[in-house]
Amino acid sequence: MPFEPSTRHLSLAASLLAGPALSISTPVFAQDAEGTTATTPTDRNVIIVTANKREQDLQDVPASITAFGTEKLDQLQVSELQDAVKFLPSVTIQTAAPGFSQVYFRGVASGENANHSASLPTVGTYLDEMPITTIQGALDIHAYDLARVEALAGPQGTLYGASSMAGTIKLVTNQPDYGDSYGAIDLEGNMVAHGDLGGTIEGFYNFALSDRAALRVVGWYRHDGGYIDNIPGSRTYPSSGITQNNGAFVEDDYNDVDTYGGRIALGIELDDNWTIRPTVMGQVQTAHGSFAQERSTAVNDDLQTVQYNREYSKDQWLQAALTVEGKIGNWDLVATGGGLWRKDRVESDYSDYAYFYDALYGYGAYFYDNAGDLVSPNQYIQGGDKYRRAFGEIRISSPQTAPVRFIGGLFAQRQKHEITQNYIIDGIADVNVVPGTASDIWLTRQDRTDRDYAAFGEISFDVTDQLTLTGGARLYKYKNSLIGFFGYAQNFSSRTGVSACFTTDGPPLNENPGGTLAPPVVDGSPCTNLDKTTSDTDAIYKLNATYTINPDVLVYATWSQGFRPGGINRRGTLDPYGPDSLDNYEIGWKTRFGDVTFNGAVYQEDWSDIQLSFLGLNGLTEIRNAGIARIRGVEADFTYAANGLTLSLSGSYNDAKIRRDFCAIAVSDFDCTVDVDLNGNGMIDPGTNEENTTLAPSGSRLPVTAKFKGNALARYEFPLGSWDAHIQGALAHIGKRRSDLRPFQNALKGNFDAYTTVDLSFGVKKDGMRFELFATNLFDERGVINSGVQCLETTCGDPDGVSTTGGVFYDVVIKPRIVGLKAGFDF
């Protein structure tokens, strides 16, 4: 019977994985001169960030922050968030395909599978002032004309709220510039090893409409060449003897991606005190094929797979936002709000699951057409998601030169996610088709709504000229709901789907066989079998002490908290899961001695009431608050920048483990050896209740968490005739990681091996012209960043065989070596 993945077939596994991270403050350059604003520093070693929701020199912020500016993003060949994460030791990214990525900080990951009805992310993502985090993960924004990417490690709960439990990623765009009219166009052509050609065209123009108004227009188109081959294959379903082959879908380099989008931003100074900035930004991304290589005897080499149905996704989104900044007396006021509209359509191969289910249970024998003839059990998914987010925040802050400073405000947002996933077997008899669909063996049609409200504030007091104390709090309320239908037709299952739908009398149909089905609440569903809401009100806090030894050296100590809202388990018989929280204890330092910067931090993070997701009965995702974990780490970076030479080293070490056994069912004493009342009736009946088994023992390492992650960069800028030239080398390393928290699943899929990538570039520029030759992943590493298996756990025993004792294993790997040439022209 179908289990519903997060949208791509890689999460069809007996489980999916998550990813952790680490953190450092790595220096960056200010934006290019043509993008200079009034607040841009002229010192290339000074980095302005907005981590505390006001502009500050990074070296003055008592927190662990990494920031990359416009110029640095270009130097590192960053075209998307995944490229930047390679150089962010605080961050790990886990992706199944473009548009389907999860981001993690400092190892705070338990193995979430990003299912549409599962936990929210542990990391918040912001585009300028607006949160853009969705259950599907971070928006896959093309990185062009960005002023900065800021990675804020550790809980950011007081200022950024829900889902910034482990950290926050901020994408800050270049704002309209009143000073002058100018623009640029940038071109790139590239070739991916073992794959196809790619390229980019992007540009912007800044219109200075007056000395108080400007318009900035940005556009881009990018084609990423494919590198995964879908090779010929065939299989015979045991119960029916029907053979299928994938001849219609065989193609070399079939995972190509096309991305295009744009941004329009208007800036207007109404007077000396008030400014308004409306912005509209959107993007369309179309991806073909699968982004995983297959581990089985069906393939002959890496970067190959055997897929039997179309693999495709189209992700499109539009964001509109308005920010108003002004002064009331000598206090600053910022009011911002906006909306995000996102829609994706996905087609995924699900035939592996169909094959193993048929091999194990012989269920394929039950798939007949209306004439009584056998049909192929081949199964595929057609899914669609619609996201709607409305957001608003208003905050005020006192003068920053006063000895007592305050920032605080009110926040509200509402996210609605319309979920549709059709699991299709062509030609099956009408009696087995979910009512209202063409040929669905299973349908998920649900509406999920997440609401967040908060009042927040921080107050800082300069005890002396050198010592500052800061306290913060956030009072929050969330209310989350899930309503709709999931499951089979009534004639196919007596316990789920239509049989579990509510009747007009209240009880589900399987408990009230003579009842009449209540009308469906959600459009496109046959009836309703899930309607639950959960809510909570609580507060989180922050304390910080900062001691400035001299203008170039400060040390700080911080205790901060973050949280993630609870939610609804899709299986209606299970209770909602509650929020989880993170307590961070951190000591850090920021130093700058002339041309040398040395920053770092040591920390301990205690993760409580972890929202552990795993596959339960019928292959449905279940979430329980199932334990606690402790992450202890140290991070540091060193940078030297002078005389055209930049050298930087950064790295971090994480020891991330659970401290108590993870039980399949949460109990207060963490005893995983007793039977548990699954029915909630206060009675233990071994005939109908499950034993509370241990999913992972105390001391297990959190998954996808490398104990060490680090990078190094060397860049030299020098004159070459009348041109300014540069040569650069960058190295990024990530250590060995677990693929899953649970020992059985980790042994099944295997650990992720350590890998190291090397990037090189050489370029010249003169009079507004730029040319650069570059290579990323020079030695063509196959670093694994995600893994999954499509099978039933009872059949997953042999990763090298496609049989009743094996499964089909998939690894998402980093992009192969890319060699390219870039050209840019300013005007």
Side-chain angles (χ1 to χ4, degrees):
M1 58 202 76
F3 123 67
E4 187 162 352
S6 59
T7 47
R8 297 294 298 183
H9 79 279
L10 287 175
S11 51
L12 306 173
S15 61
L16 254 189
L17 323 170
L22 323 147
S23 177
I24 299 182
S25 307
T26 302
V28 331
F29 299 109
Q31 64 190 77
D32 292 332
E34 65 267 32
T36 300
T37 65
T39 57
T40 301
T42 57
D43 185 346
R44 288 163 59 92
N45 292 326
V46 173
I47 311 150
I48 300 299
V49 296
T50 54
N52 288 332
K53 298 208 170 185
R54 59 181 181 270
E55 292 186 337
Q56 293 176 280
D57 181 349
L58 183 147
Q59 292 299 109
D60 295 333
V61 181
S64 183
I65 306 171
T66 307
F68 293 151
T70 304
E71 187 177 352
K72 190 73 168 183
L73 292 168
D74 185 60
Q75 292 171 4
L76 295 175
Q77 317 303 332
V78 172
S79 61
E80 58 189 359
L81 183 58
Q82 185 175 345
D83 298 330
V85 166
K86 181 165 64 172
F87 299 100
L88 297 174
S90 59
V91 186
T92 294
I93 193 168
Q94 186 177 38
T95 185
F100 300 88
S101 299
Q102 297 290 321
V103 180
Y104 305 93
F105 272 84
R106 288 182 171 176
V108 181
S110 62
E112 298 89 341
N113 63 16
N115 185 276
H116 51 69
S117 57
S119 302
L120 287 166
T122 60
V123 173
T125 308
Y126 274 68
L127 179 57
D128 292 323
E129 294 283 346
M130 182 174 177
I132 55 173
T133 314
T134 70
I135 184 62
Q136 188 167 292
L139 292 181
D140 200 354
I141 299 174
H142 178 70
Y144 182 69
D145 198 45
L146 294 179
R148 289 182 309 281
V149 173
E150 299 179 15
L152 319 180
Q156 307 295 322
T158 51
L159 290 182
Y160 292 94
S163 290
S164 284
M165 181 178 76
T168 299
I169 296 285
K170 294 189 68 176
L171 308 176
V172 183
T173 62
N174 282 318
Q175 298 301 312
D177 179 5
Y178 314 131
D180 197 4
S181 294
Y182 53 86
I185 186 168
D186 291 274
L187 307 171
E188 177 185 322
N190 60 61
M191 176 73 179
V192 59
H194 321 284
D196 212 343
L197 296 172
T200 302
I201 179 170
E202 52 198 3
F204 79 90
Y205 195 79
N206 187 91
F207 297 88
L209 304 177
S210 72
D211 59 355
R212 289 186 179 271
L215 179 71
R216 197 175 188 96
V217 180
V218 187
W220 59 86
Y221 170 79
R222 186 176 94 231
H223 175 75
D224 295 309
Y227 50 87
I228 299 288
D229 297 337
N230 192 21
I231 65 174
S234 66
R235 57 159 55 110
T236 299
Y237 289 91
S239 64
S240 64
I242 293 175
T243 298
Q244 72 174 146
N245 67 69
N246 68 341
F249 306 101
V250 170
E251 183 182 351
D252 288 344
D253 311 324
Y254 88 135
N255 63 324
D256 58 292
V257 183
D258 288 287
T259 305
Y260 63 90
R263 184 177 86 249
I264 299 176
L266 178 65
I268 301 175
E269 288 186 355
L270 301 178
D271 56 29
D272 291 340
N273 293 324
W274 291 89
T275 301
I276 61 172
R277 295 197 310 270
T279 303
V280 177
M281 184 174 181
Q283 180 175 282
V284 177
Q285 186 173 69
T286 303
H288 302 94
S290 167
F291 288 77
Q293 62 184 31
E294 188 172 320
R295 277 188 276 158
S296 77
T297 55
V299 301
N300 303 313
D301 202 352
D302 59 5
L303 302 180
Q304 293 183 342
T305 188
V306 182
Q307 298 296 291
Y308 291 86
N309 294 284
R310 189 184 188 213
E311 295 275 308
Y312 168 87
S313 70
K314 185 174 184 179
D315 183 19
Q316 46 194 337
W317 55 267
L318 179 70
Q319 184 230 25
L322 175 66
T323 299
V324 179
E325 296 181 346
K327 284 186 174 294
I328 300 178
N330 61 354
W331 286 56
D332 295 322
L333 180 142
V334 177
T336 184
L340 173 68
W341 299 264
R342 184 181 190 183
K343 180 172 67 174
D344 66 61
R345 184 163 62 89
V346 176
E347 296 185 30
S348 301
D349 187 6
Y350 207 47
S351 61
D352 294 339
Y353 183 93
Y355 174 82
F356 288 110
Y357 211 97
D358 181 70
L360 183 64
Y361 295 114
Y363 275 16
Y366 296 102
F367 294 140
Y368 296 89
D369 60 19
N370 288 327
D373 297 323
L374 284 168
V375 299
S376 172
N378 173 54
Q379 193 171 157
Y380 58 96
I381 304 169
Q382 292 182 345
D385 298 88
K386 292 182 180 179
Y387 300 88
R388 302 290 184 269
R389 177 196 292 269
F391 148 81
E393 179 177 290
I394 184 169
R395 63 180 184 268
I396 59 172
S397 57
S398 62
Q400 297 306 301
T401 55
V404 178
R405 300 173 296 281
F406 172 80
I407 182 171
L410 301 174
F411 171 93
Q413 70 173 350
R414 183 180 187 272
Q415 308 174 68
K416 184 177 182 181
H417 179 189
E418 299 177 16
I419 305 158
T420 303
Q421 290 196 328
N422 303 280
Y423 291 72
I424 302 169
I425 301 177
D426 290 328
I428 57 175
D430 293 342
V431 70
N432 291 327
V433 173
V434 177
T437 69
S439 196
D440 281 19
I441 189 69
W442 175 285
L443 169 69
T444 298
R445 179 62 189 94
Q446 299 170 337
D447 286 350
R448 171 176 177 164
T449 306
D450 296 74
R451 310 163 187 86
D452 301 285
Y453 313 96
F456 63 91
E458 288 189 359
I459 187 166
S460 298
F461 171 53
D462 293 336
V463 180
T464 69
D465 291 342
Q466 294 177 290
L467 177 63
T468 300
L469 301 180
T470 300
R474 189 180 189 95
L475 176 65
Y476 67 85
K477 175 182 176 63
Y478 69 81
K479 182 180 180 182
N480 299 334
S481 61
L482 187 64
I483 185 171
F485 174 87
F486 68 98
Y488 300 105
Q490 182 180 358
N491 297 296
F492 193 80
S493 172
S494 61
R495 296 183 294 116
T496 61
V498 173
S499 296
C501 280
F502 307 136
T503 65
T504 54
D505 300 327
L509 189 61
N510 53 21
E511 296 178 11
N512 183 22
T516 302
L517 285 175
V521 177
V522 177
D523 292 340
S525 62
C527 49
T528 302
N529 56 21
L530 175 63
D531 185 0
K532 281 195 170 183
T533 300
T534 185
S535 63
D536 190 25
T537 300
D538 207 339
I540 55 174
Y541 303 96
K542 171 185 176 180
L543 295 174
N544 172 271
T546 301
Y547 188 76
T548 303
I549 298 174
N550 60 51
D552 294 320
V553 180
L554 69 79
V555 294
Y556 67 88
T558 297
W559 167 65
S560 58
Q561 293 183 306
F563 80 102
R564 179 169 51 166
I568 303 300
N569 269 298
R570 186 161 54 132
R571 184 182 296 280
T573 56
L574 297 178
D575 291 334
Y577 54 93
D580 52 359
S581 61
L582 194 72
D583 283 82
N584 176 59
Y585 308 90
E586 181 174 324
I587 298 174
W589 61 93
K590 298 285 184 73
T591 67
R592 179 161 51 203
F593 303 102
D595 301 323
V596 174
T597 302
F598 178 52
N599 300 333
V602 295
Y603 58 84
Q604 174 176 301
E605 296 188 333
D606 292 330
W607 188 6
S608 303
D609 299 319
I610 297 173
Q611 294 176 9
L612 177 66
S613 60
F614 61 96
L615 299 185
L617 295 175
N618 307 114
L620 297 178
T621 297
E622 299 182 5
I623 303 169
R624 315 288 177 95
N625 296 97
I628 59 176
R630 173 166 289 171
I631 302 107
R632 287 174 170 162
V634 58
E635 55 199 29
D637 76 84
F638 170 89
T639 298
Y640 168 83
N643 303 316
L645 177 64
T646 300
L647 301 173
S648 67
L649 294 170
S650 60
S652 55
Y653 177 87
N654 261 340
D655 183 24
K657 297 177 180 178
I658 60 171
R659 299 184 61 210
R660 295 178 179 171
D661 291 351
F662 270 16
C663 306
I665 302 161
V667 288
S668 58
D669 58 0
F670 297 91
D671 184 356
C672 301
T673 63
V674 298
D675 286 337
V676 178
D677 175 21
L678 289 180
N679 295 326
N681 58 12
M683 300 177 63
I684 301 297
D685 180 0
T688 59
N689 290 274
E690 290 184 339
E691 186 176 282
N692 194 7
T693 56
T694 301
L695 294 177
S698 176
S700 297
R701 283 182 56 194
L702 293 178
V704 200
T705 303
K707 282 192 173 182
F708 175 76
K709 183 183 179 186
N711 58 68
L713 180 142
R715 180 181 178 89
Y716 183 58
E717 299 175 349
F718 57 96
L720 186 63
S722 61
W723 294 75
D724 295 325
H726 70 264
I727 186 169
Q728 177 177 293
L731 179 148
H733 173 82
I734 184 168
K736 183 177 180 181
R737 296 138 290 148
R738 288 178 66 97
S739 64
D740 201 285
L741 174 67
R742 298 161 295 174
F744 174 80
Q745 285 78 8
N746 189 71
L748 184 71
K749 290 177 287 187
N751 290 319
F752 298 156
D753 291 334
Y755 65 90
T756 302
T757 61
V758 174
D759 302 342
L760 293 178
S761 63
F762 169 78
V764 294
K765 63 181 179 179
K766 173 185 175 182
D767 299 332
M769 296 185 293
R770 303 175 299 280
F771 301 94
E772 185 173 51
L773 178 66
F774 70 92
T776 59
N777 192 9
L778 181 66
F779 298 109
D780 205 23
E781 285 282 314
R782 293 286 179 274
V784 177
I785 56 176
N786 201 348
S787 184
V789 53
Q790 195 172 27
C791 65
L792 302 175
E793 288 195 4
T794 51
T795 72
C796 286
D798 178 13
D800 295 320
V802 180
S803 68
T804 56
T805 59
V808 181
F809 291 72
Y810 298 94
D811 294 322
V812 180
V813 295
I814 61 175
K815 291 179 181 178
R817 177 179 57 250
I818 296 176
V819 177
L821 178 65
K822 298 165 68 173
F825 306 91
D826 299 335
F827 54 87

